[in-house]
Amino acid sequence: MEGQIRGLQRMVEEDVYCIDVLTQVAAANKALHAVALGLLSDHMGHCLVGAAARGGEEAEIKIKEASDAIARLVRS
């Protein structure tokens, strides 16, 4: 992803055709979303499951955190 962002910067500096830059922006966004989904999956598989097993307020907090994170991803 770092390389994609540097490539985007170079494309803008070199005044590359706008549609080509937008295509690369979409590709970078897709890569970021894939990372976010992986992190969310790991969080749910470890932190959320553990908190749910323990129950109580911690479980409620972790469920809200996960729900909020999902909502942010959906809006982005």
Side-chain angles (χ1 to χ4, degrees):
M1 286 183 300
E2 182 180 342
Q4 284 180 308
I5 301 304
R6 275 189 299 221
L8 278 168
Q9 182 179 7
R10 187 182 70 251
M11 291 174 81
V12 170
E13 290 169 353
E14 294 174 359
D15 201 26
V16 171
Y17 185 57
C18 295
I19 299 301
D20 293 338
V21 176
L22 289 170
T23 299
Q24 291 306 310
V25 167
N29 280 334
K30 186 174 180 179
L32 285 170
H33 278 235
V35 169
L37 289 173
L39 288 169
L40 182 59
S41 178
D42 286 348
H43 176 72
M44 290 172 58
H46 299 291
C47 298
L48 187 60
V49 168
R54 289 184 292 279
E57 185 179 351
E58 181 186 4
E60 292 175 21
I61 290 169
K62 294 295 182 187
I63 290 169
K64 178 158 179 17
E65 285 177 347
S67 294
D68 291 347
I70 292 166
R72 285 190 300 273
L73 284 173
V74 170
R75 286 191 302 262
S76 65

